[in-house]
Amino acid sequence: MKNALIVGSGLSGAAAARALAEKGYRVQVIEKLPHIGGNAYDYTEEGILLHKYGPHIYHTNFPAVHEFLSRFTEWTPYAHKVVARIDGKFVPVPFNLTSLETLFPKEEADYIKVVLSAEYGRDAKVPVFELRAHKNDVIRKFGDYVFEKIFYHYTVKQWGRKPEALNPDILKRVPVYTGYADGYFTDLFQYMPVKGFTTMTENMLDHANIEVILNEDALLLFKLRDGKILFNGKEYPGAPLIYTGCIDALFGFKYGALAYRTLRFEFERHGRTGFQPAAVVNYPNEHDYTRITEFTKFTCPPQKHTVIMKEYPGEYADGDIPYYPIETPDNLEIHAKYGAEVAGYKNLIPLGRLGRYKYINMDVAVKDALAVAEKL
Ligand SMILES: Cc1cc2nc3c(=O)[nH]c(=O)nc-3n(C[C@H](O)[C@H](O)[C@H](O)COP(=O)(O)OP(=O)(O)OC[C@H]3O[C@@H](n4cnc5c(N)ncnc54)[C@H](O)[C@@H]3O)c2cc1C
């Protein structure tokens, strides 16, 4: 039987483990936390499913990923909605015609609607950067308004950097809807796992060929030296090592530390059924937190109380959890050096959001993991 070692039991590690186990590999998964699931970890308290590391909503356009995950969970349909608090009012995000009518005087809103409709038609999804670069003054000013009120300050809070310092793809993804649709995602599949992401991951890892070891920092177990992987001091025999932790830590920060954003979460229990108008409310222009999540608004049956979570971003320091890779040109340059180093190790496969230093959603984490297993 062939062996494989996987560092990390998040969705990348778990999906790779399952796919390899089904190909006949004996897989060991090493996880430094006391639980599986990585960032997608959730747990139930007083009947409410709470997401410990920030709200996770499943959405994908990849049928193969959906088919794979559906083997490990049943789903509840869930159409995610987000609102932002702007100038004292709650408006849908992405910004749509309801947001426009709520924030602008009626005559001005009507005029902007006519101009947008003539240019893009109804129900189009237009990137905000395209509006800001438009030759028509009305469209350009409207684009600037949305950028300033919804995006600019939120980005500065979230990333600790101005938008121009970040990967331009981030801005390319911010849309405005020229209709009244208020769904946050437009993917083909939009669901929540009935028993949560942890149970789904648990089912994925439940295979006779998989052993999961918790509370173990893999970096204390193996070393990389001159193209060789040393495991407990001995050369690791030609088996794949799939690594989903931080790539800079793996190489002892030899080309410098990569930057990450961390998050601090404050949970609050309130003795009433509802706290806010949507599952997630963004606060782009006020408070130190970026958003408040209300967990009972996901797929929870009615409760007498509710639980909310405020999310405070900050710069990562040693000991924090590295939530988001910061894809600035400087960091990507450092990352490329680690990437070149990886090429010198035949059986080393970095994977996932930390291994590849790329912000990815859960579905892409699973898609990449399945592709790696397929290739092996
Ligand atoms: C706040 C937040 C909200 C998000 N919301 C969504 C969403 O709504 N929808 C969506 O699709 N995606 C969302 N994501 C992205 C999603 O979390 C990731 O795509 C997915 O969890 C990636 O899984 P991963 O396995 O690559 O990484 P992780 O989940 O980080 O797993 C890596 C695992 O490796 C372990 N590990 C690291 N180093 C070591 C070591 N040295 N030894 C042993 N173990 C180690 C870690 O403890 C961790 O368990 C969100 C992310 C964040 C931060």
Side-chain angles (χ1 to χ4, degrees), residues 34-323:
H35 61 72
I36 60 164
N39 274 341
Y41 174 74
D42 51 19
Y43 60 101
T44 301
E45 213 170 73
E46 291 184 87
I48 302 177
L49 196 59
L50 305 176
H51 297 192
K52 181 167 180 181
Y53 305 109
H56 278 67
I57 295 101
Y58 170 70
H59 56 102
T60 188
N61 278 322
F62 302 120
V65 167
H66 190 63
E67 198 178 307
F68 175 77
L69 291 177
S70 301
R71 293 170 51 202
F72 310 111
T73 183
E74 286 177 18
W75 303 104
T76 306
Y78 174 70
H80 190 46
K81 290 191 189 342
V82 176
V83 303
R85 180 127 173 123
I86 307 292
D87 297 339
K89 293 176 175 150
F90 292 111
V91 299
V93 175
F95 203 94
N96 66 8
L97 295 189
T98 309
S99 317
L100 176 66
E101 288 166 4
T102 311
L103 292 171
F104 283 71
K106 185 171 180 332
E107 256 181 45
E108 201 180 344
D110 286 347
Y111 183 56
I112 296 172
K113 272 193 282 184
V114 169
V115 177
L116 285 176
S117 180
E119 182 65 21
Y120 300 105
R122 261 296 161 86
D123 299 322
K125 191 176 161 187
V126 188
V128 76
F129 83 94
E130 196 179 310
L131 299 175
R132 297 185 75 212
H134 204 280
K135 56 183 183 326
N136 180 312
D137 270 2
V138 175
I139 295 181
R140 207 171 51 245
K141 274 193 195 142
F142 171 64
D144 286 345
Y145 174 90
V146 175
F147 178 79
E148 159 80 16
K149 293 284 184 183
I150 301 280
F151 184 73
Y152 184 84
H153 303 286
Y154 191 93
T155 303
V156 173
K157 238 197 282 186
Q158 170 80 358
W159 295 100
R161 287 152 182 82
K162 293 186 174 166
E164 51 271 29
L166 297 165
N167 185 338
D169 287 350
I170 294 177
L171 186 53
K172 283 190 188 144
R173 287 197 292 259
V174 181
V176 167
Y177 292 158
T178 64
Y180 290 93
D182 61 355
Y184 194 67
F185 301 116
T186 51
D187 301 52
L188 214 51
F189 305 100
Q190 300 184 41
Y191 296 98
M192 289 297 244
V194 169
K195 291 187 178 164
F197 291 105
T198 308
T199 303
M200 180 180 85
T201 312
E202 219 164 68
N203 292 339
M204 211 182 289
L205 289 168
D206 182 14
H207 188 285
N209 290 353
I210 301 177
E211 181 192 8
V212 180
I213 300 161
L214 297 176
N215 297 306
E216 192 84 70
D217 185 342
L219 291 182
L220 303 175
L221 297 179
F222 65 82
K223 296 268 168 298
L224 302 180
R225 207 153 285 144
D226 307 326
K228 292 195 180 110
I229 300 169
L230 303 176
F231 190 68
N232 280 333
K234 287 195 202 121
E235 192 171 342
Y236 188 59
L241 166 60
I242 295 176
Y243 176 81
T244 72
C246 295
I247 191 75
D248 50 351
L250 177 65
F251 288 104
F253 307 98
K254 66 188 278 190
Y255 300 115
L258 290 163
Y260 303 90
R261 288 295 275 176
T262 193
L263 295 169
R264 182 170 62 80
F265 300 108
E266 260 175 25
F267 286 81
E268 290 174 15
R269 184 190 190 284
H270 292 266
R272 53 182 154 126
T273 46
F275 180 85
Q276 60 185 24
V280 172
V281 175
N282 288 353
Y283 288 85
N285 310 314
E286 49 189 312
H287 305 298
D288 288 342
Y289 47 81
T290 44
R291 55 181 179 173
I292 297 181
T293 299
E294 184 174 15
F295 292 100
T296 44
K297 292 228 161 38
F298 284 146
T299 51
C300 188
Q303 303 288 323
K304 288 207 178 84
H305 74 286
T306 190
V307 177
I308 62 156
M309 184 184 73
K310 294 176 178 163
E311 199 169 322
Y312 296 84
E315 202 69 2
Y316 167 83
D318 210 15
D320 293 333
I321 297 181
Y323 286 100

